[in-house]
Every structure is written in C-alpha cells, then in structure tokens.
Amino acid sequence: MIIIADGGSTKTNWCLLNEEGKKVYFNTEGYNPYFSSVEYIINSLNESLPADLEKEKITEVNYYGAGCSTQEKRDQVKEAMAAVFTKATVNIGHDLLAAARALLGRNAGFAAILGTGTNTCIYDGKDIVQNIDSGAYILGDEGSGCYIGKKLLTDYIRGYMPEVVRTLFWETYQLTPDDVNEQVYTKPLANRFCASFSKFVYDNNVHIEYSRNLVRTSFEDFFKNLVTHYPDYQKYTFNCIGSVGYNFRNVLEEVCIENGMQVGNIIRSPIDSLVKFHQELAAELK
C-alpha cells in the first residue's frame, strides 16, 4: 500500500492507495518544517492518523509539503515520516511540485499556490525550473490567506474597518486589538492565525465592497510582486491550487485577465490529480 499526501501549512490531505487501487482519504493538520519540529510532527501523526490505518503495511509514502523547499527541511520531514511509517520508503517533495504536477501533469506551464501561503513557479513538465521566493508570511506571501488576514487585522487594530464590519468582527471573535497583537507576536503559528480570518472575509456579507477590495488588492499585490516578474509570463495560462484562489476565484480571474494572462485550472486541492499522477507513474514503472 502506498500513501500520497499534500501538506499545506494548515492542513494535510492524505490518500491511501491499496493493492486493488481502492482510495481512502483522510486529513491531518499541516506540517511546515519551518514551524513544526520532528518531534511535533511525529506526535501529531500518532494522534491524528486514522486508528485503523495499518502503518506497518505501508510500503511507500509520497509526501509533498509546504516549507519542503530545501534538502535540510525535506530531511526533517522525512525523519518524522520514517519514524511513523517504519516499513515504508519515504519520498519528500515540495508542495509547489505537487501543485505543478496536479495542475499540469506532464505539460509545461505556470503553476501557483494560493492557500495559507503563496508560491509560484514555471514547470517544464517534470521539474520546477524557475521559482521566485514568496518571502513567506512575514516578508511576502502576497495573495495568500495569511496576507488577506493580515490586511483585515491591520484595518481592525487601526480602526480603519467600516463600522458595520468592525461590529460583526467583534461579535464573531470577541478579540480586542491587544488580543490580536498578543496572538501574532507572542503565540506560535501566527501564519495560521492570520490566515484563519480569510474565512471571515469570504463569509462577510455586511459590506461586500470592503471585502472585495481587500481581496482584490491582495491579488493585485500577488501579480505585481510575483507573477509579472517571470519572463514572458503572459504566454502561459494561469493555473492555481488552494482554498483562497478557489474561494475568491471570481476576483482572481478578473485580476489575472487584467494582467494579460488567460485563466487555466483553478482548483481547491491537488490530491485527486496527484494520486492520478502517481498511479500513471507506477504503471509506467511496471
């Protein structure tokens, strides 16, 4: 039995593929090695994997994860996975490679992630050949859930929100500006905290213009600071994976077209396409 997993900073989507080709899906939290230690990942997996999962029967784990962009970080995650799946060959890849494979298969093109964080690349049909560093949630991640959440929280603590939105925010979260600052600057996983408020933006119907402008300016920053810096970017279609890109795709498509790119695939999760990719790869190797 083999496992394919797509791990973001907030959530990991898993698929167990048995010898008969049956698929079993399940979820755990995300394991970004910049924020999660080996010990943390091991403990979390042991607590959150399905109780009936026969880990000793897993022969191969293909894990693609946020933060797995360097060999050091991949080794960190591999150590944790190998400690849990003790009989398996463990392969660790970057979540950006998972996105490219899921969106484009064996075809070359442009691929992006717009979830808790942001990433972009040019893919040659096999590997990532160009990547502009997103800067992560402190220095960049434009267009991401964290970026949108930060813009919302900044407006809140500065008193810039329309009063009707501020009232709804308080009724929903009961957070003071001091509470927000404490959570961001003294508690772990600030990126997840900030990204969680993108849901408020999505659900907020009391001031559509405010919410739409927040999302639009976030996507405009995403194109201005990342996408448009790829040479000849307009010759590619725009392909994107992630809950933020998917949930706000109407605004994303507008900004995409305004920047001279045709819209390709915009999907929420890569897991189904990623499983298909590995099934086809396994068939070729037989």
Tab-separated table of all heavy atoms in Angstrom, residues 223-245:
chain	number	residue	atom	x	y	z
A	223	PHE	N	0.186	39.644	-8.158
A	223	PHE	CA	0.639	39.750	-9.546
A	223	PHE	C	1.793	40.735	-9.670
A	223	PHE	O	2.797	40.443	-10.336
A	223	PHE	CB	-0.525	40.156	-10.454
A	223	PHE	CG	-1.291	38.976	-10.987
A	223	PHE	CD1	-2.294	38.390	-10.224
A	223	PHE	CD2	-0.994	38.434	-12.223
A	223	PHE	CE1	-2.997	37.288	-10.700
A	223	PHE	CE2	-1.680	37.333	-12.707
A	223	PHE	CZ	-2.685	36.763	-11.941
A	224	LYS	N	1.666	41.883	-9.027
A	224	LYS	CA	2.691	42.921	-9.151
A	224	LYS	C	4.038	42.456	-8.634
A	224	LYS	O	5.085	42.712	-9.266
A	224	LYS	CB	2.243	44.164	-8.383
A	224	LYS	CG	3.267	45.282	-8.359
A	224	LYS	CD	2.784	46.450	-7.506
A	224	LYS	CE	3.842	47.537	-7.411
A	224	LYS	NZ	3.392	48.663	-6.539
A	225	ASN	N	4.064	41.773	-7.490
A	225	ASN	CA	5.323	41.435	-6.829
A	225	ASN	C	5.858	40.054	-7.165
A	225	ASN	O	7.031	39.764	-6.892
A	225	ASN	CB	5.160	41.560	-5.315
A	225	ASN	CG	4.851	42.973	-4.877
A	225	ASN	OD1	5.248	43.929	-5.534
A	225	ASN	ND2	4.123	43.111	-3.786
A	226	LEU	N	5.026	39.196	-7.751
A	226	LEU	CA	5.465	37.831	-8.044
A	226	LEU	C	5.238	37.447	-9.507
A	226	LEU	O	6.192	37.273	-10.261
A	226	LEU	CB	4.762	36.838	-7.104
A	226	LEU	CG	5.191	36.898	-5.645
A	226	LEU	CD1	4.221	36.128	-4.758
A	226	LEU	CD2	6.593	36.345	-5.485
A	227	VAL	N	3.988	37.315	-9.903
A	227	VAL	CA	3.673	36.715	-11.202
A	227	VAL	C	4.314	37.479	-12.360
A	227	VAL	O	4.921	36.879	-13.257
A	227	VAL	CB	2.148	36.630	-11.403
A	227	VAL	CG1	1.843	36.001	-12.769
A	227	VAL	CG2	1.501	35.817	-10.292
A	228	THR	N	4.201	38.794	-12.352
A	228	THR	CA	4.679	39.582	-13.501
A	228	THR	C	6.198	39.646	-13.602
A	228	THR	O	6.717	40.172	-14.593
A	228	THR	CB	4.124	41.015	-13.447
A	228	THR	OG1	4.544	41.644	-12.223
A	228	THR	CG2	2.607	41.008	-13.508
A	229	HIS	N	6.891	39.101	-12.632
A	229	HIS	CA	8.358	39.102	-12.682
A	229	HIS	C	8.919	37.868	-13.389
A	229	HIS	O	10.138	37.766	-13.568
A	229	HIS	CB	8.936	39.232	-11.272
A	229	HIS	CG	8.761	40.586	-10.683
A	229	HIS	ND1	9.699	41.590	-10.812
A	229	HIS	CD2	7.729	41.133	-9.999
A	229	HIS	CE1	9.264	42.677	-10.210
A	229	HIS	NE2	8.062	42.430	-9.704
A	230	TYR	N	8.055	36.940	-13.785
A	230	TYR	CA	8.514	35.811	-14.599
A	230	TYR	C	8.629	36.273	-16.054
A	230	TYR	O	7.681	36.878	-16.587
A	230	TYR	CB	7.528	34.638	-14.502
A	230	TYR	CG	7.596	33.904	-13.176
A	230	TYR	CD1	6.721	34.218	-12.147
A	230	TYR	CD2	8.552	32.913	-12.960
A	230	TYR	CE1	6.780	33.559	-10.928
A	230	TYR	CE2	8.617	32.239	-11.744
A	230	TYR	CZ	7.737	32.571	-10.734
A	230	TYR	OH	7.808	31.917	-9.527
A	231	PRO	N	9.757	36.001	-16.710
A	231	PRO	CA	9.913	36.404	-18.114
A	231	PRO	C	8.806	35.811	-18.983
A	231	PRO	O	8.471	34.635	-18.854
A	231	PRO	CB	11.283	35.828	-18.499
A	231	PRO	CG	12.021	35.700	-17.200
A	231	PRO	CD	10.971	35.347	-16.183
A	232	ASP	N	8.225	36.633	-19.824
A	232	ASP	CA	7.181	36.188	-20.762
A	232	ASP	C	6.009	35.506	-20.054
A	232	ASP	O	5.407	34.566	-20.588
A	232	ASP	CB	7.777	35.232	-21.804
A	232	ASP	CG	8.913	35.858	-22.596
A	232	ASP	OD1	8.793	37.038	-22.960
A	232	ASP	OD2	9.925	35.165	-22.826
A	233	TYR	N	5.671	35.967	-18.868
A	233	TYR	CA	4.617	35.311	-18.083
A	233	TYR	C	3.278	35.270	-18.824
A	233	TYR	O	2.469	34.357	-18.618
A	233	TYR	CB	4.446	36.010	-16.730
A	233	TYR	CG	3.788	37.365	-16.794
A	233	TYR	CD1	2.412	37.510	-16.605
A	233	TYR	CD2	4.528	38.521	-17.071
A	233	TYR	CE1	1.804	38.744	-16.676
A	233	TYR	CE2	3.929	39.761	-17.143
A	233	TYR	CZ	2.564	39.875	-16.941
A	233	TYR	OH	1.977	41.104	-17.019
A	234	GLN	N	3.047	36.243	-19.707
A	234	GLN	CA	1.754	36.305	-20.389
A	234	GLN	C	1.568	35.218	-21.449
A	234	GLN	O	0.448	35.015	-21.925
A	234	GLN	CB	1.575	37.689	-21.029
A	234	GLN	CG	1.411	38.804	-19.996
A	234	GLN	CD	1.361	40.187	-20.627
A	234	GLN	OE1	2.003	40.431	-21.649
A	234	GLN	NE2	0.607	41.095	-20.027
A	235	LYS	N	2.635	34.511	-21.761
A	235	LYS	CA	2.486	33.423	-22.739
A	235	LYS	C	1.922	32.158	-22.090
A	235	LYS	O	1.533	31.221	-22.790
A	235	LYS	CB	3.824	33.123	-23.421
A	235	LYS	CG	4.817	32.343	-22.571
A	235	LYS	CD	6.089	32.039	-23.366
A	235	LYS	CE	7.070	31.181	-22.554
A	235	LYS	NZ	8.311	30.909	-23.296
A	236	TYR	N	1.877	32.141	-20.749
A	236	TYR	CA	1.359	30.984	-20.027
A	236	TYR	C	-0.094	31.205	-19.617
A	236	TYR	O	-0.533	32.338	-19.436
A	236	TYR	CB	2.173	30.728	-18.754
A	236	TYR	CG	3.645	30.495	-18.981
A	236	TYR	CD1	4.578	31.479	-18.668
A	236	TYR	CD2	4.109	29.284	-19.489
A	236	TYR	CE1	5.937	31.269	-18.865
A	236	TYR	CE2	5.454	29.059	-19.686
A	236	TYR	CZ	6.373	30.059	-19.372
A	236	TYR	OH	7.714	29.852	-19.563
A	237	THR	N	-0.828	30.104	-19.447
A	237	THR	CA	-2.115	30.205	-18.776
A	237	THR	C	-1.860	30.259	-17.267
A	237	THR	O	-0.821	29.793	-16.784
A	237	THR	CB	-3.015	29.001	-19.089
A	237	THR	OG1	-2.353	27.787	-18.680
A	237	THR	CG2	-3.353	28.937	-20.563
A	238	PHE	N	-2.792	30.822	-16.528
A	238	PHE	CA	-2.677	30.932	-15.073
A	238	PHE	C	-3.354	29.721	-14.438
A	238	PHE	O	-4.561	29.508	-14.586
A	238	PHE	CB	-3.324	32.216	-14.574
A	238	PHE	CG	-3.234	32.380	-13.082
A	238	PHE	CD1	-2.126	32.972	-12.502
A	238	PHE	CD2	-4.246	31.913	-12.263
A	238	PHE	CE1	-2.024	33.100	-11.118
A	238	PHE	CE2	-4.162	32.042	-10.882
A	238	PHE	CZ	-3.052	32.635	-10.305
A	239	ASN	N	-2.563	28.901	-13.736
A	239	ASN	CA	-3.072	27.698	-13.082
A	239	ASN	C	-2.785	27.778	-11.594
A	239	ASN	O	-1.660	28.108	-11.194
A	239	ASN	CB	-2.403	26.456	-13.673
A	239	ASN	CG	-2.598	26.374	-15.178
A	239	ASN	OD1	-3.658	26.016	-15.642
A	239	ASN	ND2	-1.563	26.729	-15.925
A	240	CYS	N	-3.773	27.473	-10.783
A	240	CYS	CA	-3.645	27.741	-9.351
A	240	CYS	C	-4.352	26.675	-8.523
A	240	CYS	O	-5.431	26.194	-8.888
A	240	CYS	CB	-4.241	29.111	-9.056
A	240	CYS	SG	-4.345	29.545	-7.322
A	241	ILE	N	-3.722	26.347	-7.386
A	241	ILE	CA	-4.296	25.432	-6.407
A	241	ILE	C	-4.376	26.144	-5.063
A	241	ILE	O	-3.507	26.953	-4.734
A	241	ILE	CB	-3.439	24.164	-6.290
A	241	ILE	CG1	-3.919	23.091	-7.269
A	241	ILE	CG2	-3.416	23.599	-4.881
A	241	ILE	CD1	-3.087	21.851	-7.281
A	242	GLY	N	-5.419	25.839	-4.302
A	242	GLY	CA	-5.513	26.365	-2.943
A	242	GLY	C	-6.892	26.916	-2.643
A	242	GLY	O	-7.607	27.384	-3.525
A	243	SER	N	-7.264	26.873	-1.373
A	243	SER	CA	-8.609	27.286	-0.966
A	243	SER	C	-8.854	28.770	-1.222
A	243	SER	O	-9.966	29.173	-1.574
A	243	SER	CB	-8.827	26.971	0.515
A	243	SER	OG	-7.859	27.622	1.320
A	244	VAL	N	-7.827	29.610	-1.052
A	244	VAL	CA	-8.019	31.047	-1.247
A	244	VAL	C	-8.237	31.364	-2.722
A	244	VAL	O	-9.156	32.097	-3.095
A	244	VAL	CB	-6.820	31.835	-0.677
A	244	VAL	CG1	-6.904	33.313	-1.047
A	244	VAL	CG2	-6.765	31.678	0.835
A	245	GLY	N	-7.387	30.818	-3.585
A	245	GLY	CA	-7.574	31.025	-5.011
A	245	GLY	C	-8.919	30.503	-5.489
A	245	GLY	O	-9.591	31.132	-6.320
